Amino acid sequence: MTPPMPKTIYLASPYGFSVHQKAELLPPVVSALEELGLKVWEPFARNN
């Protein structure tokens, strides 16, 4: 039996608009969600 695929969530947040918030506030949120077994689709990580 194969393990279940993690659920993917889209993380909509204002933290990516500021360099400071993107570097300091966003990573702990993403990490906490990943620790819960979720795959996080974070749009600011995918755009320059």
Side-chain angles (χ1 to χ4, degrees):
M1 184 174 197
T2 60
M5 301 231 354
K7 294 193 182 234
T8 301
I9 63 166
Y10 180 91
L11 180 59
S13 79
Y15 291 155
F17 292 108
S18 160
V19 173
H20 170 72
Q21 290 177 339
K22 186 176 182 180
E24 300 296 324
L25 300 177
L26 198 52
V29 173
V30 172
S31 293
L33 292 169
E34 290 174 338
E35 287 176 11
L36 293 172
L38 299 168
K39 183 177 176 185
V40 179
W41 177 272
E42 199 283 296
F44 292 109
R46 301 181 185 287
N47 295 323
N48 291 332

